[in-house]
């Protein structure tokens, strides 16, 4: 496989082996790629893609540049792998339950509650994908494609939930697109607030106001 040269943020071309060429002090010769990938995910989530350097990755993951080079490839390759992992996690926690539910407004409400916990749990600051969408200088092809796809999937899931609400007689069929756009705006706003370090109790108040609006659709229709 052809190797690419290393820049200040590069790691190199992807290779299948994840063996160290030389053991790192205190670590076995082979490392757990799953653990390393989770650590990379958390670092990108916390600091953003552009702000995370190769040296940051080496320090946080406890691996040399050559080990990262051999295991994952370039910094962008590592980001792609981390985003794959992140989307699997967020799918299981948020999107799949909303998409698979037979409920309408109750499914929306459960999604919003889960979202509030997701963006704040254990010191998290927002959704990794939305954070990267707003990141300065983060307009790479990978990020643009990922964030666009994610937003479209979330919006589609919201619309389908409202269509189920229509089928259940909870709301009328008018203004579904407007309501989906309103929810998307609220979701993005809540995420930005979490990313900015807003306290959990304030996030909870923002979430309560969104849930109040959704419940109001039921009573007003």
């Amino acid at each position: 496989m052809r190797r690419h040269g290393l820049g200040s943020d590069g790691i190199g071309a992807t290779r299948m082996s994840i063996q160290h060429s030389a053991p790192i002090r205190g670590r076995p010769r082979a490392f757990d790629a799953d653990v390393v990938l989770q650590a990379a995910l958390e670092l990108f989530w916390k600091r953003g893609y552009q702000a995370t350097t190769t040296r940051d990755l080496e320090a946080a993951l406890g691996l040399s540049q050559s080990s990262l080079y051999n295991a994952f490839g370039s910094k962008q390759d590592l980001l792609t792998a981390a985003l794959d992992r992140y989307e699997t996690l967020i799918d299981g926690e948020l999107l799949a339950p909303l998409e698979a539910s037979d409920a309408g407004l109750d499914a929306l409400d459960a999604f919003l509650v889960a979202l509030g916990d997701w963006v704040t749990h254990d010191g998290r600051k927002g959704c990794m994908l939305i954070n990267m969408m707003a990141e300065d200088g983060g307009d790479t092809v990978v990020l643009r494609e990922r964030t666009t796809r994610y937003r479209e999937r979330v919006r589609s899931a919201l619309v389908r939930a409202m269509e189920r609400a229509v089928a259940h007689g909870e709301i009328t069929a008018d203004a579904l697109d407007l309501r989906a756009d309103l929810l998307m705006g609220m979701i993005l706003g809540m995420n930005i607030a979490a990313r900015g370090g807003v306290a959990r109790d304030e996030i909870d108040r923002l979430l309560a106001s969104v849930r109040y609006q959704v419940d109001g659709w039921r009573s007003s229709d």
Side-chain angles (χ1 to χ4, degrees), residues 5-217:
L6 297 178
S8 60
D9 287 337
I11 300 172
T14 304
R15 297 183 63 185
M16 295 302 295
S17 171
I18 58 172
Q19 299 292 320
H20 292 304
S21 57
I24 293 177
R25 184 182 303 174
R27 286 184 177 272
R29 186 174 180 81
F31 62 85
D32 188 330
D34 189 65
V35 172
V36 169
L37 186 56
Q38 178 64 29
L41 183 158
E42 292 171 359
L43 184 62
F44 283 133
W45 194 346
K46 178 180 179 180
R47 300 196 61 181
Y49 175 68
Q50 296 295 335
T52 301
T53 67
T54 301
R55 288 185 178 181
D56 294 331
L57 290 166
E58 291 178 45
L61 307 184
L63 300 175
S64 67
Q65 187 179 60
S66 62
S67 295
L68 291 171
Y69 174 101
N70 290 328
F72 299 104
S74 68
K75 177 185 169 185
Q76 184 164 300
D77 290 334
L78 181 55
L79 173 66
T80 297
L83 288 173
D84 286 342
R85 183 180 182 87
Y86 180 81
E87 288 193 36
T88 297
L89 294 172
I90 201 169
D91 179 77
E93 292 290 330
L94 294 178
L95 293 177
L98 176 60
E99 291 169 336
S101 177
D102 292 328
L105 294 188
D106 287 344
L108 281 178
D109 186 70
F111 168 78
L112 291 169
V113 171
L115 177 66
D117 186 62
W118 180 264
V119 300
T120 57
H121 179 70
D122 197 25
R124 292 173 181 164
K125 291 188 175 182
C127 166
M128 179 180 177
L129 281 164
I130 296 177
N131 288 348
M132 289 190 170
M133 181 181 72
E135 180 184 355
D136 289 341
D139 189 26
T140 68
V141 172
V142 170
L143 292 180
R144 185 166 59 250
E145 291 178 349
R146 290 287 185 131
T147 58
T148 298
R149 185 175 66 198
Y150 174 70
R151 292 196 312 275
E152 289 175 349
R153 184 179 174 191
V154 172
R155 190 183 185 285
S156 178
L158 295 173
V159 170
R160 289 199 298 271
M162 288 187 287
E163 289 173 344
R164 295 194 298 270
V166 172
H168 297 330
E170 296 174 317
I171 62 175
T172 59
D174 60 312
L176 294 190
D177 284 337
L178 291 175
R179 286 173 170 172
D181 289 339
L182 177 63
L183 285 176
M184 284 300 298
M186 291 175 171
I187 290 168
L188 293 172
M190 185 175 8
N191 181 86
I192 295 302
R195 179 63 175 169
V198 169
R200 176 62 191 263
D201 60 347
E202 187 171 347
I203 296 294
D204 287 341
R205 292 198 304 273
L206 293 172
L207 177 61
S209 70
V210 179
R211 297 175 66 197
Y212 176 81
Q213 290 295 323
V214 172
D215 191 59
W217 297 344

